[in-house]
Each structure stands twice: as C-alpha cells, then as structure tokens.
Amino acid sequence: MAKIGFIGLGQMGSGMCRNLIKGGHQLKVYDCAEAAVQNMVDAGAEAATSARAAAEGAEAVFTMLPIGDIVYQTVFGPDGIAEGISNDAIYVDMSTILPEETRNIGRKLAEQGVAMVDAPVGRTSAHAVAGTSTFMVGGDKEHVQRVMPYLECMGECITHCGPLGTGATVKLVNNYISAVCNLVTAEGMALGLAAGADQDTMVEVISQTPAGLGHIKTTWPAKALADDPSPAFMLDLARKDLGLALTAAADAKVPLATGSVTREIYNIASAAGHGREDWTTGIYRTVKHLANAT
C-alpha cells in the first residue's frame, strides 16, 4: 500500500481515485470542488486542504486537470505541489496538455530533485470508472517502472512512449487523427445521404474497408510503415476517385472541407512524382517531406 496524493477529481480523476483505493492505496485528495472531495472521502480517501497538503508525505502525486496553465499553477503556485512534495517522491501528470508544458514542469521539478512522468489518458470517463483506461507514458524508464503498479490499478493498456513529454505527444497525435476521422466520416456519410444512399447500407460496406477499419492496421503496415512504394492501389487512382467524390458533392451541394484540402495534398504528392506509388506510401512520404520529419 502506497501513500498517494491526487489532485483533480472530475469525471476522469474521481474514477481513477476509486480504483487506486480499490487497489489498496491510501489517498489524500484535493479539488476546488468540495463536493468532489467529499465523494472521495466517502469512498475511503482523506481530504486535503490544498495541493501542497495532498503532496505532503506522499510517495507519488497525481494530477488530472483540464489545461496546462492550471497544471503549472497547481504544481508551482501558492500552496502548490512543489511546496509539499519530497524529493524522493514522484509526480505523475495525467492531464492532456502541450508536450513543452510537460517538459517545462519536469525541468523545474528536477531542479529540486523531484522526478516526473507524464501519463495522459485515453478512452472515456466510463473506462476510468471501470479501470480500463489507456495511458501513454513519457519519462525515464526507471521512473515509469516505479509508477507502473499505480497505473495498472487504473488502466489495462499502458505504453511507454519515450522521454518525458512523449506521452503528451502521442496523446495529441491519437486525438488529432480521431477528431479528423470523425469529421471526414460525417462528411462522407452526409454525401451518401444527400445522393440517395441508405445509411445502414453505407455502414455495412464501410465497416469492411479501411475507411471504417482504419488505415493504421489495414493498409499502412505493409506499405506506408514499411516505406514500400509498390502500389496495392496507386496514389493517382485515389486522387481521381477523390476528385469524383468532390464533383458529386458539389452537385449535391454537400460541403467536403477535409476532402478539398486532401485533394491539394494528393496533387502535391502526384506533382512530386509519387503518383504511381502506393497511395499510403506516397502520401506519407509527401507529408513527411513537407514537415521535414523522418
């Protein structure tokens, strides 16, 4: 059983606290909402009067907060974590904030001898309650191993992504892809409905193709991720089909904002000589080149 400080008792944080308590840990909790603190006290936690008080005597201190500025103030502001945490404790931030904000906090804590791990959370508040969250973890290997037993109380899929801040990076990448896929799915379905297709029929078809299954586990492993340009489906053919969809959308007066931008990238890729390559590899090569990324 470990003594844990936990700050941030919203829908996600409260569920995680309950699972830490179920795991046998002793929690001291703080939140600006008194009712949230009382709910955790009723579940077996001890109330703290400040973030500093929650951190005092703790072996690990967790935060689950909405934005980077609030995380920073909770750590370094008056009565903050930094005033109460011992230098043999470890700080874990599970908030979704910018990677550089995470690294900045970690650098400042390191000056007083405190280790930090970032572990932003995937999935929903229902998973937090069930203890089946996912964690994208950044930090030194020994620090990650140190907090692993606590994370295992709260989640079922825990991935060490690299140094401090890479957890935040992978979380943002994941959510970016998910958010854009959500919009393009809505656009495509709206186009089909406007053109007279049946919704259930579209779902039946799309759920069996990369459009519904996702590229990262279907088309990408053998081509884009392997940097194999030999075409399973040529980029120029995908560009042609994209143009047809945009023409149909114009006729039906359906806005396809993501499709319009996507066509420009396909045009750039084709003009750069990737037109006869696999559509996944050619696009990945093009965007990496534009981003000066390897």
Side-chain angles (χ1 to χ4, degrees):
M1 180 172 67
K3 292 182 178 180
I4 295 174
F6 202 109
I7 298 102
L9 306 175
Q11 286 187 317
M12 298 289 282
S14 60
M16 292 173 182
C17 280
R18 291 180 187 276
N19 283 303
L20 285 168
I21 293 169
K22 289 177 184 176
H25 300 295
Q26 182 180 338
L27 264 65
K28 189 187 294 185
V29 300
Y30 176 73
D31 193 282
C32 58
E34 293 182 5
V37 174
Q38 186 58 52
N39 285 337
M40 288 301 99
V41 170
D42 293 341
E46 177 185 350
T49 56
S50 66
R52 173 181 179 172
E56 289 174 342
E59 298 165 54
V61 180
F62 286 80
T63 49
M64 184 66 186
L65 298 165
I67 60 174
D69 285 345
I70 293 176
V71 177
Y72 187 90
Q73 288 302 316
T74 299
V75 178
F76 298 112
D79 280 331
I81 290 168
E83 295 182 5
I85 193 169
S86 65
N87 58 14
D88 60 351
I90 191 164
Y91 169 57
V92 183
D93 181 38
M94 300 190 294
S95 315
T96 298
I97 65 176
L98 288 171
E100 187 53 36
E101 291 177 314
T102 295
R103 288 188 286 266
N104 183 42
I105 293 169
R107 283 191 292 265
K108 291 198 67 173
L109 283 174
E111 292 173 1
Q112 66 182 72
V114 177
M116 179 181 176
V117 165
D118 68 306
V121 185
R123 299 182 177 171
T124 68
S125 57
H127 294 98
V129 170
T132 55
S133 295
T134 65
F135 292 99
M136 292 140 276
V137 188
D140 292 348
K141 185 176 180 180
E142 62 269 28
H143 298 153
V144 173
Q145 289 300 317
R146 187 174 164 189
V147 302
M148 192 66 70
Y150 312 135
L151 297 177
E152 288 172 345
C153 286
M154 299 180 281
E156 64 179 4
C157 182
I158 303 162
T159 304
H160 184 195
C161 301
L164 185 67
T166 57
T169 297
V170 174
K171 171 66 183 288
L172 295 183
V173 168
N174 180 78
N175 283 22
Y176 169 76
I177 293 172
S178 183
V180 174
C181 285
N182 184 33
L183 173 57
V184 75
T185 301
E187 288 180 344
M189 294 293 288
L191 170 59
L193 293 173
D198 174 72
Q199 179 172 287
D200 290 342
T201 301
M202 288 190 289
V203 169
E204 180 181 350
V205 171
I206 293 166
S207 65
Q208 300 177 68
T209 73
L213 296 171
H215 284 279
I216 205 74
K217 293 185 72 174
T218 57
T219 61
W220 270 52
K223 295 298 176 180
L225 298 180
D227 197 34
D228 179 0
S230 61
F233 183 52
M234 280 199 306
L235 186 145
D236 273 346
L237 291 177
R239 183 168 69 102
K240 182 263 294 182
D241 290 352
L242 180 58
L244 293 175
L246 288 166
T247 298
D251 292 342
K253 296 182 173 56
V254 176
L256 298 186
T258 52
S260 298
V261 173
T262 300
R263 177 166 59 180
E264 295 310 308
I265 302 300
Y266 271 80
N267 287 341
I268 291 170
S270 184
H274 300 298
R276 298 188 65 81
E277 294 178 357
D278 187 83
W279 61 320
T280 66
T281 307
I283 286 296
Y284 196 28
R285 284 178 169 181
T286 299
V287 176
K288 285 193 294 183
H289 176 75
L290 294 172
N292 194 29
T294 58

